[in-house]
Amino acid sequence: MDSVKIKEYKKGESPFNVVSGHLQAVGAGIKYFVKPQRITLKYPDESMSLPTGYRGMIRLYKDVCIGCTLCAMVCPADAMKMVTDQGKKFPTINYGRCVFCAFCVDICPVDALKETGVHDAAFSNRRELIFNPEKFDQDFDQPPLRPVVRKVKAVIDEDKGIKYVPDTE
Amino acid sequence: MKSGGMELDIVPVSGELNVGPQHPGSGHLRIFVKLNGDIIEDAEIDPGYVHRAVEKLGENRNYIHLIPLVERPAILDSVNMNLGYILAVEKILNVDVPERAQYLRSFAAEISRIASHLYGMGILAIFIGHSTGFMWGFGDREVWVQILEALTGARITNSYIIPGGVRRDLTPAIIEMTKKAIAFQRKKIKDWERIFLNNPNIKARLQDVGVMTREQAIEWGAAGPNLRGSGVYYDARKSEPYGAYSKLDFEIPVYKEGDGYARTLVRFEEIEQSLRILEQVIKDIPEGQILSDRFFKQIPPTRLKKWWEGQRRIVMPGYYASFRPPKGEAISRVEAGRGELVYYVVSDGSAKPYRLRMITPSYRSIYVMKNLLKGARYADLVSIYGSLDYFPPEADR
Ligand code: SF4
Ligand code: SF4
C-alpha cells in the first residue's frame, strides 16, 4: 500500500490574488476567443467518415448464411429474428431494437454478417425499420437528399483536441 | 416597499418547492425542498424516473445479453460498468484472463473515467453558471470518445469487455491518438485551472459549500471522489486490484476539506492520474492474446486467420450465445468514475443469472445529497448537486 497523503488546498485569498485570479480567467477566455477550439461539424455540409471497424448498420450475405440461428440467439435486444424463406432460415433485423453491439457479427461462424460502417439513416415509418432477408442482403446506403459537400475525418491534435481533415479516399 | 425610501419589508416565507420537477440537470430526478426563507430546511430526493429494472431484466436474459444492459445506466462511464459485471461472471466461470487483456481493460476503463469526470465537471460548471466549462467538458470528452470509438467500434455503447478478455486489440494508430490526446489534455488542464479552478467566482461557489466531514462521509456511505474529497483514502483499484492496476503506478488524490471544491480538485487530479496510467499501459503492455485460451481455442481457424491475424479482432465462439456457468455466486468491485461499483451475481447453473445485484455509486450519493442539502442556502443546491457528480440514471438503474 502506498503512503497516504491527505492534501489541503489554500483557503482565504488576499485581494491581490482575487484580482489576479479574475484576470487569469478572463485572459484564458480571451485566448480561446482569439483561437477557438471549435469542434462543431457542419452537418450535412460536412460529414464525418467513420473509422474501419465502426459498428454501424449491418448487412447480411444471404448466400453465405447457413441459418444456424446463433446471431438471433446472441442478440441482446431481440432485434434479430429468424424467418423461413423458401425453406431456408435467414435472420431479419429490426433497427428499432438494434443497439449496434455487433455481437451478431462477431458470432456468425461463417461471416455472413458485416458491419457496413454507415450510420446516417432516417426512416419515416416504423415498419421500414424491419429489414427482411431480401433488404438485409444489400449494403445499406441512403444517399442524402442534399449531396454532402465535404467528407472529413476526425484526427486528434495536440493543440486543438479534434481537428477535421478532408478525407481523401 | 415604503414610498420614497429604499427600505424593503422582508416577509419571511417558508414553503415547498419542486426542483426539476423532472430534470434539474444531469438527468431525471425531482428534489423536493422545504424552504425557510433562503435556507433549505429539509430535502426529499425523489429518484426513479429512469428506472429500467436492470436487476429484474437480468434474471430473464442470458449472461451475454446483459453486457449492453448494464452499461446503459451510466452510459458515459460504460466501460467501468461493463467491467464490473464481467469480473463477477468470470469469477463464477473461473477463467483466467490474459495479461494483455488485463492491460487493455485498464486502458479502456481509464479513458472512460477521464471522459466521465469531464462530463461531471461540465455539468457542475453549467450548474453554477459557468457555461464555458460546460462546453469545455463536453468538447474535451469528445477526444476520449474518439479513442474509444477507434478501439471498440462505438462511441459510448462500447460493449468492449467480454468474459475471458476483450473484443479488440490496441493498434499503433490508437497508441498514436492516445499520446496526442494525453498531451492535449495536459495542456488543456492548465487552462481549466485558469478559467475554472482558480477562478474566484468558482471558488466562492464551491468552497465551504456542502461540507461533509470524514466521519459523516463514512457514516452516510459516500463513494468515490466524494469520499476522497472528505479525507478518506479508499479506492477499489488499490484495495482490491483488478485489471492491471496492481502493476500500474498511480496515486489516489485525497483532500481533507470535504467541500465542493475539494471534490472538484479530486476529480481533476484523478484525470491526471488516469493520464499517467494510460502512458504506462502504452509503454508496458505485454504482447499476447486478448482472450482466454479456453474460449480462443473454440474459434474456427478460418475466422481466427481473418479476424485475429488480419485485424486484431476477437470474434466470438458460439459458446457465448447461451453459456451456462456452474452453480455459484460472486461479488465484484470496481472503481467506476463516480466511485465503487458492486455487482453480485448468483448462478443456478442455467443460462440466465438467478440474481443480479448492482450497487451503483450514484445510488449512494442520494443520502449524501439529502444530508448536505439540509441547512444549505437554496442557491447552493445546484453547487452541491453538481459537486457530487450525481447521475440519476446510474442511481435508478
Ligand atoms: S448489433 Fe447487436 S442488437 Fe443489433 S442485431 Fe446484432 S446482436 Fe442484435
Ligand atoms: S449466425 Fe450467420 S450463419 Fe448463422 S443464421 Fe446468423 S447470419 Fe446466418
Side-chain angles (χ1 to χ4, degrees):
Chain A
M1 192 116 168
D2 317 353
S3 63
V4 178
K5 202 166 70 207
I6 297 183
K7 290 185 249 189
E8 280 178 69
Y9 64 81
K10 215 170 101 244
K11 270 190 196 173
E13 307 253 16
S14 71
F16 173 77
N17 280 344
V18 173
V19 172
S20 85
H22 279 301
L23 287 179
Q24 274 195 15
V26 173
I30 290 173
K31 180 177 154 195
Y32 284 86
F33 179 72
V34 180
K35 266 176 94 182
Q37 282 184 346
R38 217 170 276 138
I39 59 167
T40 310
L41 190 75
K42 296 193 184 70
Y43 191 83
D45 291 336
E46 294 172 326
S47 142
M48 190 139 73
S49 338
L50 299 162
T52 40
Y54 182 82
R55 306 195 319 237
M57 312 283 277
I58 296 170
R59 83 154 279 189
L60 166 77
Y61 292 90
K62 225 176 136 187
D63 45 342
V64 183
C65 174
I66 50 170
C68 68
T69 74
L70 271 177
C71 54
M73 250 162 82
V74 83
C75 179
D78 289 340
M80 229 169 239
K81 293 251 162 69
M82 300 305 289
V83 291
T84 310
D85 184 18
Q86 293 158 2
K88 250 192 102 182
K89 273 180 160 177
F90 290 112
T92 60
I93 189 167
N94 178 352
Y95 281 116
R97 298 192 70 108
C98 177
V99 295
F100 301 101
C101 61
F103 283 169
C104 51
V105 178
D106 278 6
I107 210 161
C108 176
V110 289
D111 288 322
L113 296 166
K114 191 185 96 177
E115 300 144 351
T116 59
V118 175
H119 78 177
D120 314 33
F123 300 92
S124 55
N125 186 316
R126 253 189 300 164
R127 265 164 308 211
E128 285 174 25
L129 289 165
I130 303 170
F131 283 31
N132 60 22
E134 292 312 317
K135 198 167 157 198
F136 199 15
D137 193 26
Q138 290 151 26
D139 261 343
F140 181 82
D141 198 13
Q142 252 184 0
L145 296 177
R146 232 174 85 196
V148 170
V149 182
R150 220 153 67 92
K151 269 273 183 200
V152 293
K153 207 164 57 185
V155 292
I156 297 199
D157 185 78
E158 283 179 28
D159 296 312
K160 286 199 71 187
I162 286 183
K163 211 168 62 178
Y164 297 112
V165 294
D167 187 22
T168 45
E169 38 150 5
Chain B
M1 199 153 73
K2 281 183 190 147
S3 57
M6 285 303 288
E7 274 170 69
L8 283 173
D9 276 337
I10 295 173
V11 188
V13 272
S14 56
E16 286 151 0
L17 209 58
N18 263 309
V19 182
Q22 284 158 19
H23 199 297
S26 66
H28 295 82
L29 171 80
R30 183 172 70 143
I31 308 174
F32 193 63
V33 290
K34 265 214 192 88
L35 285 172
N36 183 1
D38 193 18
I39 307 290
I40 299 174
E41 279 196 329
D42 197 9
E44 218 34 79
I45 317 279
D46 180 14
Y49 285 88
V50 262
H51 176 60
R52 1 181 161 198
V54 170
E55 292 186 4
K56 191 68 199 167
L57 274 172
E59 294 166 16
N60 296 303
R61 315 213 131 241
N62 288 357
Y63 284 90
I64 195 86
H65 294 160
L66 295 178
I67 294 176
L69 183 65
V70 295
E71 290 184 338
R72 287 328 190 249
I75 196 65
L76 39 96
D77 191 15
S78 63
V79 178
N80 281 309
M81 292 284 159
N82 184 181
L83 178 55
Y85 167 67
I86 294 298
L87 287 181
V89 174
E90 276 171 354
K91 277 187 195 166
I92 301 180
L93 281 173
N94 195 17
V95 325
D96 287 326
V97 180
E99 198 71 346
R100 189 173 174 85
Q102 299 280 25
Y103 270 83
L104 282 171
R105 285 176 177 190
S106 288
F107 181 79
E110 291 311 312
I111 292 182
S112 189
R113 183 183 324 280
I114 297 171
S116 164
H117 280 349
L118 287 169
Y119 176 97
M121 294 302 95
I123 293 286
L124 167 66
I126 192 76
F127 269 7
I128 54 182
H130 192 287
S131 48
T132 306
F134 177 58
M135 293 297 165
W136 281 22
F138 280 70
D140 289 6
R141 188 183 139 74
E142 199 57 33
V143 174
W144 299 103
V145 167
Q146 285 288 334
I147 296 177
L148 281 183
E149 182 186 273
L151 179 67
T152 70
R155 285 164 48 83
I156 43 176
T157 52
N158 311 106
S159 304
Y160 179 56
I161 297 161
I162 52 173
V166 293
R167 288 171 75 187
R168 298 185 186 191
D169 201 359
L170 201 60
T171 60
I174 298 171
I175 293 181
E176 217 33 61
M177 281 168 92
T178 314
K179 280 184 183 158
K180 284 194 181 145
I182 293 171
F184 161 75
Q185 196 64 61
R186 287 227 164 98
K187 271 192 232 166
K188 190 75 184 263
I189 292 225
K190 291 267 177 312
D191 282 332
W192 269 100
E193 282 167 8
R194 285 191 198 105
I195 212 163
F196 192 75
L197 284 177
N198 295 336
N199 187 334
N201 291 330
I202 302 300
K203 284 187 178 172
R205 290 302 304 272
L206 291 175
Q207 290 187 353
D208 297 320
V209 172
V211 181
M212 173 162 63
T213 63
R214 189 189 149 88
E215 287 69 35
Q216 283 170 334
I218 295 169
E219 191 189 321
W220 299 342
N226 302 336
L227 182 66
R228 296 192 282 273
S230 291
V232 182
Y233 182 95
Y234 180 79
D235 190 306
R237 290 174 293 172
K238 288 279 187 201
S239 54
E240 197 184 308
Y242 53 93
Y245 289 117
S246 55
K247 294 175 207 81
L248 297 164
D249 170 36
F250 62 101
E251 283 162 27
I252 306 297
V254 182
Y255 271 88
K256 185 163 169 257
E257 285 83 358
D259 57 6
Y261 196 64
R263 294 191 276 274
T264 309
L265 288 176
V266 167
R267 292 204 171 83
F268 271 101
E269 289 185 20
E270 280 188 16
I271 294 180
E272 169 56 28
Q273 295 304 323
S274 297
L275 295 176
R276 276 184 58 203
I277 296 180
L278 294 181
E279 283 176 334
Q280 291 171 43
V281 170
I282 291 174
K283 201 162 71 50
D284 300 339
I285 187 164
E287 287 300 318
Q289 281 182 14
I290 59 170
L291 188 69
S292 164
D293 238 1
R294 185 161 133 199
F295 307 130
F296 192 79
K297 278 196 299 228
Q298 299 177 19
I299 304 175
T302 46
R303 296 200 81 203
L304 265 189
K305 210 171 155 98
K306 176 172 171 196
W307 293 106
W308 173 238
E309 282 159 32
Q311 305 191 20
R312 308 299 283 175
R313 268 178 67 173
I314 281 296
V315 285
M316 295 180 180
Y319 169 82
Y320 280 110
S322 72
F323 60 88
R324 290 160 193 275
K327 271 195 189 134
E329 55 182 355
I331 193 158
S332 76
R333 302 197 287 174
V334 292
E335 187 71 24
R338 293 183 181 70
E340 187 186 55
L341 166 71
V342 178
Y343 284 95
Y344 173 59
V345 181
V346 183
S347 157
D348 59 357
S350 72
K352 303 175 169 96
Y354 176 76
R355 176 84 172 95
L356 169 79
R357 177 87 177 100
M358 179 180 186
I359 305 164
T360 54
S362 279
Y363 186 71
R364 292 165 54 178
S365 294
I366 296 177
Y367 188 59
V368 173
M369 180 156 39
K370 178 182 162 69
N371 283 316
L372 287 184
L373 286 178
K374 265 185 221 163
R377 286 193 176 270
Y378 182 63
D380 286 338
L381 183 143
V382 283
S383 136
I384 292 172
Y385 181 172
S387 73
L388 291 173
D389 194 7
Y390 175 73
F391 188 58
E394 187 185 281
D396 293 353
R397 286 155 292 156

